[in-house]
C-alpha cells in the first residue's frame, strides 16, 4: 500500500540502530517512501546527525531517540519518546545488531560473548517487538498498513563457526519472525525478516579484504558487495504494504548467496 492507498496519512517508522550502516539505508528508503522516521541508537553523534540530515533532505520528518535495545526495562519509555517525537508508529524495524567482538574458534566461544549477542540481537528485538505489537493491537489501524521487519542475516541459515553465537542469535530471529507473524496476522500486522548477505558497512570492514577475494572468486551469483541501499529498498517495499497478503517471509538481500550450487 503506498501513501495514496493509505489515504495519504503520514506513516511513521522506528528504525533501531539507525545511526549508520544498514539502518541509515533503511531510514533513507523509508523517508523516500513518505515515512517520518525515528532512528534509535546508543549515541547521537556525527553519524546520527548525518542520517537525520539525509532524512530531512528526502522531505519527511526525522528524530533521534537514545536507546539500547538490550535494556528491555527501558523499552516502554523508548517507545513513548519515539511516539512523542513523531506520533503513533506504523512500522518497527529491528535493525540494531552486533557481531562478535572477535572472530575465533567455536570451541573457545565464551559465555559472556554468547550472552551479549543474544541480548542485543535476539532478546532486545523480541521484547521491543512485544511492546510495539501491543500498542498496535490497542489502536485502530485507520486503514494504514502496519508491520514489523527484523533484520537478520545470511547467518540465520549459513553456519560460520568463527562466530557461532552470532549465527545462533540470527537463526532465532527467523523463528521470532514466524512466531510474531502467526500471532499478529489476524490483526493485519505483517511481520517479515530481511536477510542481508555481505553488505558494505563498518560491521564487515574488518573482513573486507577477505570478502573482496571471495566475491571475486564467485561467492555470490551477483558478483558485488551489497550496499545499504539494497537492504533499505527491500525494507521499504515490505513496509509499503505491497505484500499485504504475505507475512512471516524471509527476503534475501544477498546477491543470491543463499542458492545452493553444484
Ligand atoms: P553497523 O555496526 O554499521 O550498525 C549497527 C548500528 O546498531 C550502529 O549504529 C550501532 O550503534 C547500533 N547498535 C548496536 N548495538 C545497539 C544497541 N544495543 N542498541 C541500539 N543500537 C545499537 O552494522 P550494520 O552492518 O549496519 O548492521 C545492521 C544490522 O544488519 C545488524 O543487525 C547486523 O547483524 C545485520 N547484518 C549486517 C550484515 C553486513 O554485511 N553488514 C550482514 C547481515 C546482517
Amino acid at each position: 500500500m503506498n501513501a495514496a492507498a493509505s489515504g495519504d496519512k503520514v506513516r511513521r517508522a522506528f528504525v533501531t540502530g539507525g545511526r549508520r550502516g544498514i539502518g541509515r539505508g533503511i531510514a533513507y528508503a523509508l523517508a523516500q517512501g513518505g515515512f517520518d522516521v525515528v532512528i534509535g541508537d546508543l549515541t547521537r553523534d556525527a553519524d546520527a546527525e548525518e542520517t537525520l540530515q539525509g532524512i530531512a533532505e528526502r522531505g519527511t520528518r526525522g528524530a533521534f531517540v537514545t536507546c539500547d535495545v538490550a535494556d528491555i526495562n527501558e523499552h516502554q519509555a523508548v517507545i513513548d519518546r519515539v511516539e512523542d517525537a513523531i506520533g503513533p508508529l506504523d512500522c518497527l524495524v529491528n535493525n540494531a545488531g552486533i557481531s562478535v567482538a572477535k572472530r575465533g574458534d567455536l570451541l573457545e566461544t565464551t559465555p559472556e560473548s554468547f550472552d551479549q549477542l543474544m541480548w542485543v540481537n535476539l532478546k532486545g528485538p523480541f521484547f521491543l517487538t512485544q511492546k510495539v505489537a501491543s500498542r498496535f493491537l490497542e489502536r485502530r489501524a485507520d486503514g494504514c498498513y502496519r508491520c514489523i521487519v527484523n533484520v537478520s542475516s545470511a547467518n540465520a541459515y549459513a553456519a560460520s563457526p568463527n562466530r557461532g553465537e552470532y549465527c545462533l542469535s540470527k537463526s532465532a530471529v527467523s523463528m521470532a519472525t514466524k512466531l510474531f507473524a502467526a500471532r499478529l496476522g489476524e490483526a493485519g500486522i505483517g511481520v517479515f525478516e530481511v536477510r542481508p548477505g555481505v553488505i558494505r558497512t563498518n560491521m564487515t570492514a574488518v573482513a573486507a579484504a577477505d570478502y573482496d577475494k571471495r566475491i571475486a572468486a564467485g561467492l555470490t551469483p551477483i558478483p558485488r558487495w551489497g550496499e545499504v541501499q539494497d537492504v533499505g529498498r527491500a525494507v521499504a517495499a515490505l513496509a509499503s504494504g505491497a505484500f499485504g497478503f504475505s507475512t512471516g517471509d524471509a527476503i534475501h538481500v544477498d546477491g543470491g548467496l543463499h542458492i545452493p550450487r553444484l
Side-chain angles (χ1 to χ4, degrees), residues 60-257:
T60 61
R61 283 192 305 160
F64 182 91
V65 165
T66 304
C67 101
D68 177 351
V69 294
D71 189 355
I72 63 176
N73 295 322
E74 278 297 305
H75 283 173
Q76 201 76 264
V78 165
I79 302 165
D80 283 343
R81 289 204 296 279
V82 168
E83 296 199 325
D84 285 349
I86 55 166
L89 287 174
D90 307 287
C91 174
L92 166 68
V93 184
N94 284 308
N95 162 76
I98 53 170
S99 187
V100 290
K102 195 163 169 285
R103 296 177 182 219
D105 189 344
L106 185 67
L107 302 184
E108 289 167 14
T109 301
T110 63
E112 292 74 23
S113 178
F114 187 101
D115 285 347
Q116 196 191 6
L117 271 284
M118 290 299 168
W119 271 98
V120 177
N121 292 356
L122 176 64
K123 193 166 178 179
F126 179 91
F127 285 101
L128 187 62
T129 299
Q130 200 184 56
K131 289 276 182 307
V132 170
S134 298
R135 292 211 183 182
F136 283 175
L137 294 175
E138 282 161 20
R139 295 196 284 252
R140 286 158 38 88
D142 284 338
C144 266
Y145 180 71
R146 299 180 301 180
C147 72
I148 294 159
V149 182
N150 294 323
V151 178
S152 68
S153 166
N155 284 123
Y157 64 88
S160 299
N162 62 354
R163 50 199 151 95
E165 62 274 52
Y166 180 79
C167 300
L168 285 167
S169 69
K170 293 297 189 175
S171 63
V173 167
S174 294
M175 178 51 77
T177 302
K178 287 182 266 195
L179 290 167
F180 280 111
R183 172 65 180 84
L184 300 172
E186 191 187 17
I189 300 163
V191 186
F192 299 96
E193 175 191 355
V194 168
R195 287 184 185 161
V198 181
I199 311 294
R200 198 190 308 274
T201 69
N202 285 49
M203 188 179 277
T204 42
V206 285
D210 180 40
Y211 284 131
D212 278 342
K213 275 194 226 129
R214 294 176 67 189
I215 291 167
L219 176 71
T220 50
I222 301 173
R224 67 165 172 87
W225 279 78
E227 304 295 343
V228 298
Q229 298 88 329
D230 292 310
V231 186
R233 280 192 295 270
V235 173
L238 292 168
S240 75
F243 299 89
F245 193 51
S246 305
T247 194
D249 296 271
I251 310 291
H252 299 92
V253 184
D254 66 352
L257 177 68

